Each structure stands twice: as structure tokens, then as C-alpha cells.
Amino acid sequence: ETGVTQSPTHLIKTRGQQVTLRCSSQSGHNTVSWYQQALGQGPQFIFQYYREEENGRGNFPPRFSGLQFPNYSSELNVNALELDDSALYLCASSLGGRGTGELFFGEGSRLTVL
Amino acid sequence: AQKVTQAQTEISVVEKEDVTLDCVYETRDTTYYLFWYKQPPSGELVFLIRRNSFDEQNEISGRYSWNFQKSTSSFNFTITASQVVDSAVYFCALSEARSGGGADGLTFGKGTHLIIQP
């Protein structure tokens, strides 16, 4: 176990709704990154938070937003859900903000958009 | 732009056979990092190895070994004497170090589904 926990594990939403996913990072880690993994694909980088600031972002629209809290836990918010947002959302924690170190992943939140 | 290609979508072997998973990458940076992760059915990605671009030494860890060749931009992963517990999806990934700080995240390949039959 990596010590990274995500909630909820599964959820179902309808198009146009909003969703918030949560992640508790491993103790001592100050960096959290989020990835989207569509079925049968590799994970895609959404963004990274380092010491409560976003310091890296992949090719995702602004309706994907996030927060990191003083205890380094994090939230991923997705507004105006689309069918293509159905995926496994993975959170990973690490040390340092360069994004080149070992990532410790949670088991993910599986989102289904109907 | 960086890219990782795992041409083998699925590999099926019988237990105790050796198996090699291929990974080819593209990057314009001279400083980069390569990773392998294992994803069992539970979904959690499990870190296996990290290599920086300046270290081309091959590495062995138990039944696992990795062959990094910059000349062919490849970072292949071999499992010796495979076991049923090795069944999973394996991902190769690449990360570039931004000179100004910040992060671009890992670029993953599409993964290779490895099936080890008893």
C-alpha cells in the first residue's frame, strides 16, 4: 500500500453535473498530481500541485480545476461533465515539485458519466 | 513533444517463461527520466523503477531486469521465470525536467497487458 487514499471509489453522474474527487497524500509528501485514465489507455496528466499552488498542467480544459490544502491533501473538480469524462481518476503524491521523482498512486476514483 | 510507445498491446505466456516488454520513447531533452509501473486489477499503479538519462547501466532486481539503450531510445523490461502474480498491465513512462521548475507530469505509453497462464 502506498498510503495514498482516494474517495469516492466509484460514482455515477449525468452530463452537465459537477463532481469533486478527493485525495489524501502519503505522509510527508508535499506534491500531488492528478491523472485521467480512459479505458484501455495509459494515464494522462491533468495537473500538479506543489505547496498549494498549481505548478504544472496537461492538455485539459479549465473546467478541470483543483485545490491543495495545507495538509497537502487535494481535490479535483470537474464542471459541466461530458460523456468523455468517464474514466479512472488517479491521484499520486510525491516529494518535491519537479515531477521527476517516484510517484505513489492511489487506487483511483472511477467516474461514469451518463 | 515527448512520446512513449508500447507496441505490444497484450502478451500471453505460460508460467516460468521469460517475457520482455518493449518501450520506445521520444524526447528532445537531454535530461529525462524513464519509469515502469505495474497496474494490477485493483487500479493502483505500482512503481517498479526510475532511470535518469545519464545512467545507462542495466538493472536487475530479483526476477526483473531493465535494458536502457539511448542509441535506440528504448527502455525494455524483462521478467524471468514469470509467475501468475505477474499478470497485470505494465506501463512505461517518461518525464522531462523543466529548466524553470514546475512539472509537465509523466507521459505514459498505452500499456502492455501481460497474462501469465498457469
Side-chain angles (χ1 to χ4, degrees), chain B residues 65-109:
Chain B
S65 62
W66 290 269
N67 183 347
F68 177 25
Q69 292 197 331
K70 285 177 78 170
S71 60
T72 56
S73 297
S74 65
F75 186 43
N76 296 337
F77 172 32
T78 297
I79 301 175
T80 303
S82 60
Q83 300 176 2
V84 172
V85 293
D86 295 327
S87 297
V89 181
Y90 290 84
F91 290 97
C92 180
L94 167 72
S95 176
E96 296 169 344
R98 272 201 214 168
S99 58
D104 292 319
L106 296 184
T107 297
F108 284 85

Side-chain angles (χ1 to χ4, degrees), chain B residues 25 27 29-34 51-53 68 70 94-95:
Chain B
Y25 62 91
T27 176
D29 276 12
T30 55
T31 303
Y32 53 89
Y33 298 82
L34 295 165
R51 255 333 206 209
N52 74 54
S53 50
F68 177 25
K70 285 177 78 170
L94 167 72
S95 176

Side-chain angles (χ1 to χ4, degrees), chain A residues 16-73:
Chain A
Q17 285 189 313
Q18 178 264 344
V19 68
T20 297
L21 308 178
R22 295 177 175 83
C23 172
S24 293
S25 57
Q26 187 175 84
S27 177
H29 285 182
N30 55 16
T31 304
V32 172
S33 50
W34 286 90
Y35 288 79
Q36 181 196 65
Q37 186 178 17
L39 203 58
Q41 302 295 315
Q44 284 197 299
F45 176 63
I46 302 174
F47 45 56
Q48 176 175 290
Y49 278 81
Y50 172 60
R51 294 183 175 175
E52 302 178 58
E53 296 285 334
E54 182 182 299
N55 77 333
R57 189 176 185 94
N59 190 25
F60 280 81
R63 60 188 186 83
F64 285 78
S65 63
L67 282 174
Q68 188 180 29
F69 300 100
N71 67 354
Y72 301 132
S73 65

